Amino acid sequence: MNIRALAASSVITLATLPWLSGCQVTLGDATTEESSSSSSDILTASVSLGDCDLDTQAESVACAANAFLDTLSSSELSKAQLSWSDSEARTVWSNLPVGTVTRNGLRLDAMSDESKTAALVLARAALSDAGYVDMIGGFAADEYLNSVKGASGYGAELYYVAIFGDPSADGDWMLQIGGHHMAYNITWLSGQGYPFPHHKGAEPKASFTLDSATYAPLKDEADALVAVFDSLDSTDLSYAYLSGESYSDVLVGPDNGSGTLPDNYPSGSDRDGMLVSDMSTYQQSLVKEAIRQWVEDYPDDIADDLMDAYTSDEAFADTYVAWAGTQSKGVDVDTSGTYMRIDGPRLWIEIACQGGIVITNETHYHTMFRDKYYDYGNSL
Amino acid sequence: MATASNARYLNWVWCSLCCWLLLASTSVLAHPADNSLIQIDIRDSGLRVHVQLPVEQLYMAEPALFPKGQAFDSIDEALPAWSDFDQAAMISYLKKHLHLFMAADGPDPLNPSALPRVRLAAQPQINNMSVVVSNNSLQFKALLDVPFPDPGIRNSRAWRWLVDTSLINHRVRNHKTLITLGSDALHGRDGSDPGVLGIVGYQSAPLVITSDPGSSLTLLTTLIKQGVMHILAGFDHLLFLICLLLAAPLRIRQKRWEIEPDRRQALWNLLTLVSAFSLGHTLTLALASLGFVSVSSHTVEIAVAGSLLISAGYLLWPLSCHRITVVATLFGLVHGLAFASELGNDGFALPRQLLMLGGFAIGIELAQVGICLLVMPCLLELARHRAGIYHRLRQGGAVFTLTLASGWAIERTFNVSNPLQLLQDQLPLILLGIYLLVLASSLASLASRPASQPTVS
């Protein structure tokens, strides 16, 4: 476990000198302030793959990654391109704002316009249409916190792009796109993409309007999962309830530079909830829809295989849906502490509703999408 | 004159800059799923365990602890209700979910469950339970004292300590606890730089503490460093010293400050004032840290702020010409009590206490001498050859000190947050800026006068 990374993100208050705490306060990111004027470009840019629209997604995304790297100066390149063998760096990502936990790579607001466009093309190649919309929605949510809610340390361009190794259609490399409430970790091994761990969060969680465009980056995901629980009768709902457990956040959250796959998935009798194979066909289809909301952030080349693996009869015979929170309130996303998850033999999806940070009278979402065996392509 | 107004201008620049930075960063500081903190101090008599638990998650884990807990619009409104927790239930909760063991070397040192162990006192003393606002969230704090069962084993380095906690995460499955090592008397480690021991979560194995053995020499040098840093980072002491230095090249005539024409007298003033202050604070530092004197740190902190207000006021209006060396000694006594509360060598064996006291006192004196050597030549030069600038500097310094001391006095007397926190946070830079301006003015003064000017004494 990389202790230093978690310690850095923790608030150590037991023994701070006044001098030190003064310094800590100023960590709040002096470089984040200039973002608001140009941010709308990113949110509204129309992006096409152009020359990188190739036969397979692996080819397209490698082409777009190399095109992005080609736009960088040598000093930018040293930040943006990291060593494939550095497993600790590959596991550095977070849900927290960028002023609190430093991310890998080069930040959008530090890029030339050319590099910024190339970075968006790269994201476009790495994600499906729906996934790209969600990513832009994530940028917009942060911009909303900054420009509408007046919170600093947030903004549409406070997101980083990092590439590990040399991108190629049949080699081994990894792409990270991340910032506050966002962590894409997509690993390619010999042309096969492994898009996990994937963290998305959203504050505000409901739909919001920014510059007359409307966004709701996690609404579909949460609604689809809530629909699963809404379809259960009261007996099954209490059967799916994780009695004696509470969740103030997702369970298998940021890896904090551990360099290893997480080891804290529930096992044995802790794997609890309603078995999907015990549900009706209709209820199973709702589970499938919920899973689709996460998996189909990625192009068919990746998503089709994953959907097959996660929703086969064999998988559903070992997949639990479960929830926690205030039992009397039911599965209510507006109640802080409400928690839902899908726990399969490989698949791990969870969503936690926490009190808001900027919009304090509303809850907000943290979600995780992991594959217990193929996070980081199982190549750490 | 230019110096003083430049200094004030610089203050404004820094002040507005730091306001901006502070406002810019406050929202970043809050995040809901705070982890718990457990800091272990290994003392001669036993373990002292500082526990800090985020209230929101503690409530999630055990709602019965907070019968009056409910949502509030602001954290200040929330504090009284959440502070009114069920004391008895809290004590049994802590005892139920936090266990400390001593462990002998086992066959597999990496596997804590294989270590033979002895449970430390099943009935720890639990003190100082309170709910405080920290980093914009409510935190429960407590101090547990766990005596060693057998005084003989405490000197054996073969023993290790095991921390087994299920606080909060017996229920909140995602919750994590950060465990740090503070002071370690058995290995000569002071608590100035807590080291991270590990992070534990739901059903984690107990954490094993093994600390790096340190020698008496490292303890001494660490304490010297701590003493130096205490003066440099403890701005109230630093400002008091600066007030003394500002008064040194002066004398009082008809209830007004004027420049002391006798250079030797000015140096004598400096020597007596600083020695008087040192004498006072060394005396109380020794008495208080060895346990002969005990004054509540709250009272001491208020008295320190008061001493600053009085000395800064005196620097503006020297109402009487009573012996200021006596005043410096008296205030030295007050500041010494404050140093003692910072040293915190309570619970260590006497030889170790003396060693720590000595190191800390040496550090404080080193810092003082260093500041005198840096500042005094400039002040003497300005006082002698730029009396106008010097008086502006004296007045400016006094007003600046009065302002800051008022902030501290309000903060410490009424237990509220410092209204001048923004200013205080930037003090290192402000003081450095002022010093550079003073240095530049004195160098300019030195350069603009003939090399050897006869002095009249």
Side-chain angles (χ1 to χ4, degrees), chain B residues 222-293:
Chain B
T222 312
L223 264 294
I224 291 176
K225 270 187 234 159
Q226 204 182 327
V228 170
M229 284 314 292
H230 187 59
I231 289 290
L232 297 185
F235 302 114
D236 39 7
H237 308 301
L238 187 61
L239 284 176
F240 185 83
L241 186 62
I242 289 172
C243 284
L244 286 184
L245 297 186
L246 280 170
L250 302 174
R251 65 179 184 186
I252 301 168
R253 288 290 180 275
Q254 290 150 1
K255 297 190 178 178
R256 289 170 64 88
W257 289 109
E258 61 180 50
I259 303 291
E260 169 63 60
D262 183 346
R263 171 166 287 203
R264 271 174 305 182
Q265 181 62 40
L267 283 172
W268 178 249
N269 288 350
L270 169 71
L271 202 64
T272 49
L273 279 174
V274 174
S275 308
F277 182 53
S278 293
L279 180 74
H281 68 63
T282 309
L283 190 68
T284 42
L285 168 62
L287 289 177
S289 70
L290 297 176
F292 294 107
V293 180

Side-chain angles (χ1 to χ4, degrees), chain A residues 234-245:
Chain A
S234 62
T235 316
D236 285 347
L237 194 61
S238 69
Y239 194 68
Y241 183 70
L242 295 166
S243 177
E245 299 178 27

Side-chain angles (χ1 to χ4, degrees), chain A residues 36-46 113 116 120 157 211:
Chain A
S36 52
S37 58
S38 56
S39 59
S40 53
D41 300 349
I42 287 224
L43 302 180
T44 55
S46 76
D113 287 346
K116 227 183 273 185
L120 292 177
E157 296 201 6
D211 296 334

